[in-house]
């Protein structure tokens, strides 16, 4: 796990792509691994993850920050990757659904999701797990209002909300046992 991303420096080489637009190279850290990415700075992280780094676990839903399917962690906080420009991620520690199981709480969340058979179609579930993990990391024993706030904006068109809430509550109760 890389723990000092502040030392990473933005690469200054400038390429002029065939389209004539200005393209920069950025070094970002995803799931503890450095990646050199050639893309324009305002490219949303979601596009970088899926189309350049081939990490397709993070899903495209709305593209405008309203559904939560694209949720990742930036320095441990849940963020919508469709709204996060590549140039802003250079000194961040990015974690995706592919890497969250390497964290203690992320692993517990994934296991509880399986135990309670939370997903239906599964499309939203990467984002749900990322938000739940951020919530439980920040608030180990969340009350209903904490769950409401922490999971707000993570939409599930299959309506799995009651199982999602039950899984989070069980994880919280396990902290007090
Ligand atoms: S795709 Fe990012 S919030 Fe919907
Ligand atoms: S499980 Fe289908 S959208 Fe949530």
């Amino acid at each position: 796990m890389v723990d000092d991303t502040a030392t990473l420096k933005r690469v200054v080489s400038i390429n002029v792509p065939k389209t004539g637009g200005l393209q920069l190279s950025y070094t970002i850290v995803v799931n503890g691994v450095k990646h050199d990415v050639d893309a324009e700075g305002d490219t949303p992280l979601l596009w970088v993850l899926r189309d350049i780094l081939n990490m397709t676990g993070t899903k495209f839903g709305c593209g405008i920050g309203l559904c939560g399917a694209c949720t990742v962690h930036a320095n441990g906080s849940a963020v919508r990757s469709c709204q996060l420009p590549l140039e802003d991620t250079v000194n961040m520690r990015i974690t995706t659904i592919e890497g969250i199981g390497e964290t203690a709480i992320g692993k517990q969340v994934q296991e509880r999701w399986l135990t309670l058979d939370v997903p239906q179609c599964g499309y939203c579930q990467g984002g749900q797990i990322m938000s739940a993990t951020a919530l439980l990391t920040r608030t180990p024993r969340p009350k209903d209002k904490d769950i409401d706030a922490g999971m707000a904006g993570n939409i599930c068109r299959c309506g799995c909300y009651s199982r999602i809430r039950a899984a989070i509550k069980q994880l919280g109760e396990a902290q007090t046992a």
Side-chain angles (χ1 to χ4, degrees):
M1 177 69 87
V2 174
D3 59 6
D4 188 9
T5 55
T7 59
L8 291 177
K9 59 179 183 295
R10 182 166 157 169
V11 177
V12 294
S13 63
I14 296 177
N15 307 311
V16 179
K18 292 188 177 71
T19 59
L22 189 65
Q23 190 159 349
L24 295 172
S25 294
Y26 297 88
T27 302
I28 64 173
V29 177
V30 182
N31 300 328
V33 178
K34 287 185 192 176
H35 299 273
D36 294 326
V37 176
D38 292 334
E40 294 186 21
D42 61 357
T43 307
L45 177 63
L46 176 60
W47 270 249
V48 173
L49 293 172
R50 291 184 56 85
D51 295 346
I52 298 177
L53 301 182
N54 293 317
M55 294 181 184
T56 55
T58 305
K59 301 302 186 194
F60 172 83
C62 64
I64 54 173
L66 295 178
C67 76
C70 67
T71 304
V72 300
H73 289 186
N75 296 335
S77 296
V79 297
R80 310 302 190 220
S81 62
C82 70
Q83 300 298 296
L84 183 60
L86 170 62
E87 62 193 355
D88 289 355
T89 67
V90 169
N91 289 316
M92 290 178 171
R93 192 167 31 89
I94 302 296
T95 307
T96 70
I97 190 65
E98 287 88 351
I100 199 63
E102 299 299 316
T103 69
I105 295 176
K107 184 169 187 289
Q108 289 173 27
V109 170
Q110 289 182 324
E111 288 174 350
R112 191 68 56 147
W113 247 239
L114 289 173
T115 302
L116 293 191
D117 227 353
V118 170
Q120 190 163 320
C121 82
Y123 196 84
C124 73
Q125 294 296 328
Q128 305 282 2
I129 286 169
M130 297 306 288
S131 288
T133 301
L135 166 63
L136 287 159
T137 301
R138 191 173 61 249
T139 310
R141 290 178 288 280
K143 301 184 185 328
D144 279 327
K145 67 178 174 47
D146 300 318
I147 298 173
D148 290 342
M151 302 304 291
N154 279 89
I155 307 298
C156 176
R157 20 175 215 192
C158 299
C160 298
Y161 299 110
S162 59
R163 292 197 298 278
I164 290 168
R165 183 172 294 264
I168 294 170
K169 288 190 120 171
Q170 284 188 12
L171 287 160
E173 285 159 9
Q175 300 298 318
T176 57

